[in-house]
Each structure stands twice: as C-alpha cells, then as structure tokens.
Amino acid sequence: MKREEVHLGDSLKCKVKEDMDRPFTGTVQKMYENSALLNITDFDASDKQNVAELNFKIVINFKSIVKNLGGGRIDPPAEEETAVE
C-alpha cells in the first residue's frame, strides 16, 4: 500500500513475519516516510505474548498492509491566510 492511502487514525489489517505469527489489526498513531506506528487493537490469541512484549505497539512497513479499513482523518489542505484590512 502507498503512504498516500494511509492516514492518522486509520484501522489497518497487517501481516508481518518478524514479530507476529498471524495477521492483526492496528490503528495508525504516527506516520513515517516508509512505515507507520500502529497501536495493536485486534490480534489472534496465539499472538497474545508477542503483543504484550511489543506493548501493543508496532512499526510496520507500508508493504505489510493487507487492507485499510478506514476510520482515520484526512487532513484538509492548508488554507491560505488572508490579510484583514
């Protein structure tokens, strides 16, 4: 998935081989250049210890995103300031 398709607060379904055995769902807390910090919200029971060790947070590459479930906010374009006369 591309960075432009992910926003703060989005719920993402992800699959990573290194830290989690099964796919999981997380909410975007912070965006980086090629990855995002997620708060893990839903996971398989077999990953309970992995999630606890990660303190319910994980940094994932955008390539690891299986599906964007939405729910986040899209920041509106910056408005130009107008001078008050």
Side-chain angles (χ1 to χ4, degrees), residues 43-73:
F43 53 92
D44 190 88
S46 64
D47 278 323
K48 186 175 183 178
Q49 183 162 346
N50 294 338
V51 173
E53 289 174 5
L54 293 167
N55 292 319
F56 290 85
K57 296 195 183 296
I58 190 168
V59 175
I60 57 114
N61 190 300
F62 292 121
K63 295 176 184 177
S64 299
I65 299 170
V66 176
K67 183 176 182 182
N68 186 339
L69 304 173
R73 63 182 165 101

Side-chain angles (χ1 to χ4, degrees), residues 7-8 72-78:
H7 306 93
L8 288 176
R73 63 182 165 101
I74 300 173
D75 293 328

Side-chain angles (χ1 to χ4, degrees), residues 3-81:
R3 185 182 198 282
E4 297 81 25
E5 299 170 353
V6 178
H7 306 93
L8 288 176
D10 279 355
S11 289
L12 306 176
K13 187 164 182 91
C14 306
K15 173 71 175 135
V16 294
K17 296 178 184 176
E18 300 82 25
D19 298 314
M20 304 282 284
D21 297 327
R22 311 285 287 161
F24 63 94
T25 303
T27 304
V28 179
Q29 300 295 305
K30 188 170 184 178
M31 302 281 289
Y32 301 107
E33 189 67 32
N34 297 308
S35 58
L37 173 65
L38 301 183
N39 185 28
I40 301 170
T41 55
D42 188 32
F43 53 92
D44 190 88
S46 64
D47 278 323
K48 186 175 183 178
Q49 183 162 346
N50 294 338
V51 173
E53 289 174 5
L54 293 167
N55 292 319
F56 290 85
K57 296 195 183 296
I58 190 168
V59 175
I60 57 114
N61 190 300
F62 292 121
K63 295 176 184 177
S64 299
I65 299 170
V66 176
K67 183 176 182 182
N68 186 339
L69 304 173
R73 63 182 165 101
I74 300 173
D75 293 328
E79 296 181 20
E80 295 181 21
E81 292 184 30

